Each structure stands twice: as C-alpha cells, then as structure tokens.
Amino acid sequence: MPRRRDTPPPRTGPAEKDVLRGFLDQLRAAVAAKADGVPEPQVRTPGVPSGTSLLGLVRHLTHVERFTFLGERTADWPATFRPRPEETAEALLAGYRAAVAEANEVIDACADLTEPVARPGRTPPSMRWALVHLIEETGRHAGHADILRELIDGSTGR
C-alpha cells in the first residue's frame, strides 16, 4: 500500500475555542477514517495482546465523548473497548459521529471556556479542561488506530 502524506494541522479561527475545536475535530475525523471501510472481521479483530481493535477504539471514544460533554455515565470503562457481536462497524461509526455532533452543539453553545461541563454527581471540569482532555484522549487513540490499520492492510497517514 502506498504511503500517503499526513494532513497538515487544521486551519482554524483565531479564538481559543476555534483552535481547540479544530484540532479535536481533525483527530475525531482521523479515528473514524481509520475504521471506515475496514471489512469484518478485521475491523473488530484485536491487533495487539491487550485486545484493542479499531472498532473497540471507536466504541470507547463514543463513550468518552458522551461522558465528557453530555454527562452520560459509563458503568464499565474497560467494556467500552469491546464491541458486541451484534454491533456493526457502520452502526458504531454512525454512533460516534452522532456523539461528536451532539458534543459539538454543547461546545458551540459555550460562551466562556471556564464554564463547567455537565458531570452529574461529580465536580464538573471547565470546558477548556474538557476540550484539552479530549484532544489528548482522542490523539492517543488515533495513534493506536494508525498502528492497527497499518497492521491490517498497510495503510498509513491520515
């Protein structure tokens, strides 16, 4: 498989929120692209001894988006990495994109990055903290997705 050039950093608006959202959106798109179009069973087959798969990363990040920006609780974080047999790649990718769209509505509605995000039963972090955390979390798993995809079919780059 030929190597593609990496996508350059995103062009964003000048405001802090524009920059943070731009980088987060680029990472979100990279994760989805790595899983998109990968056939069964490769998309759900663990590529490393820990059990991590492309589909598991998408499923996990869906839960992270919903927890961080929408305040939805997750009872078992390790289980979020394991797609259920009945969950298709198409459905999980659609669910991830829907979670991102809902999270972006919350981000867009935030006028001040010091405002708290929804976090029932816990002290809520600021929107700034939540955005930086999601950039870190999504970037970390985008790197995992890069490696897993290369192991599946040799595809590299964003």
Side-chain angles (χ1 to χ4, degrees):
M1 166 99 17
R3 291 188 179 268
R4 294 183 319 190
R5 284 191 47 193
D6 271 348
T7 305
R11 298 227 182 250
T12 66
E16 180 183 12
K17 187 167 72 169
D18 296 336
V19 173
L20 294 171
R21 165 92 185 271
F23 276 84
L24 179 56
D25 282 342
Q26 182 185 36
L27 291 167
R28 289 161 159 169
V31 167
K34 287 298 174 176
D36 202 16
V38 177
E40 292 281 358
Q42 291 92 340
V43 72
R44 72 177 59 244
T45 301
V48 291
S50 67
T52 304
S53 70
L54 285 172
L55 209 50
L57 291 172
V58 170
R59 189 173 190 278
H60 171 71
L61 286 170
T62 301
H63 283 268
V64 173
E65 291 275 352
R66 292 194 165 285
F67 174 76
T68 302
F69 294 114
L70 306 173
E72 294 181 14
R73 292 181 184 221
T74 296
D76 183 359
W77 282 104
T80 66
F81 282 98
R82 295 187 299 276
R84 296 181 186 120
E86 69 275 6
E87 294 176 320
T88 66
E90 184 178 293
L92 286 174
L93 281 164
Y96 179 58
R97 290 179 175 120
V100 166
E102 289 177 54
N104 281 345
E105 288 177 14
V106 171
I107 296 165
D108 292 345
C110 179
D112 179 354
L113 295 180
T114 64
E115 291 179 17
V117 294
R119 192 65 65 87
R122 296 179 65 184
T123 303
S126 69
M127 178 60 76
R128 178 180 290 108
W129 185 94
L131 285 165
V132 171
H133 170 63
L134 257 289
I135 290 168
E136 175 273 328
E137 178 87 3
T138 307
R140 179 174 181 243
H141 292 311
H144 296 146
D146 284 341
I147 293 166
L148 292 171
R149 181 64 187 259
E150 186 174 357
L151 289 170
I152 290 169
D153 66 6
S155 176
T156 62
R158 283 186 236 169

